[in-house]
Amino acid sequence: MRIAFTEELQFISDQLVEMAGLTSAALEQATTALMSADLELAESVISADEHIDAVRRDLDTRAVDALARQQPVATDLRTLVTAMRMSADLERMGDLARHVAKLTRLRYPNRVLPEALTATFRRMAEVADALVMEAARIIRDNDVEAVTQLKITDDEMDDLHRDVFRVLLDSSWDSGVQAAIDATLLSRYYERFGDHAVSIAQRVVYLVTGQWDEDNLNIDERIDVTEVSR
């Protein structure tokens, strides 16, 4: 029985790593669609989000079932509860990639971003990918020592987020109100994507040590008010 339970815990961990890979691919594709006004690619990102949601549902079902059948304590209990919280973070990251794609679809055939912001958002996408893939490695290896460096990487994302607003508030901005609103939303999506990666890493710290770092677990889930739809 214990061997089967251990195998189930490993499978749940593997599902988390899979979700991280899916969210990484989703944001990468959404960014490509954003930069090139590629409607077909944007639609594929929007459709593929259902798969991320399905993996989360399966993971949570397995975790709840394990809680009911095994009545785990100590580290095993933390593992299951933390896995469900991390799956929520990863599912939200998939939603953020979908938001990027939906904004691309909304503005098609025009491009969303003016040239003045293109390089900044390309870098934001690169940092976001580095964050989620490092978070996946931290999950896989329970590498709490790597969390500090991940947070430093996230600092760059925060700097880029501020850079966007510096461009928008500069007197030379001449791309109009709509473009400014779109850029504000997009910057928020990428910045929150990074925040969720940090949250995941901090949950691994809790899993291994039993200690919370509250400063990095206050992720605001209420971004739905800015979701783009049509």
Side-chain angles (χ1 to χ4, degrees), residues 78 202 205-213:
R78 287 206 306 269
Q202 288 298 133
V205 174
Y206 168 70
L207 172 63
V208 174
T209 69
Q211 301 295 316
W212 289 113
D213 183 347

Side-chain angles (χ1 to χ4, degrees), residues 111-176:
R111 294 192 182 189
V112 178
L113 292 171
E115 190 63 32
L117 286 171
T118 300
T120 300
F121 277 96
R122 285 192 189 279
R123 183 57 188 162
M124 291 181 89
E126 292 170 355
V127 174
D129 184 66
L131 286 168
V132 68
M133 296 314 295
E134 180 63 1
R137 193 192 65 77
I138 289 170
I139 293 170
R140 186 181 63 245
D141 299 339
N142 281 340
D143 186 359
V144 298
E145 299 299 324
V147 175
T148 298
Q149 182 57 51
L150 183 141
K151 290 159 65 176
I152 292 172
T153 302
D154 186 58
D155 288 342
E156 182 182 355
M157 179 69 83
D158 295 337
D159 289 342
L160 291 164
H161 185 51
R162 286 188 287 269
D163 285 345
V164 170
F165 285 94
R166 278 193 283 270
V167 173
L168 296 178
L169 294 173
D170 192 274
S171 59
S172 64
W173 176 260
D174 60 359
S175 296

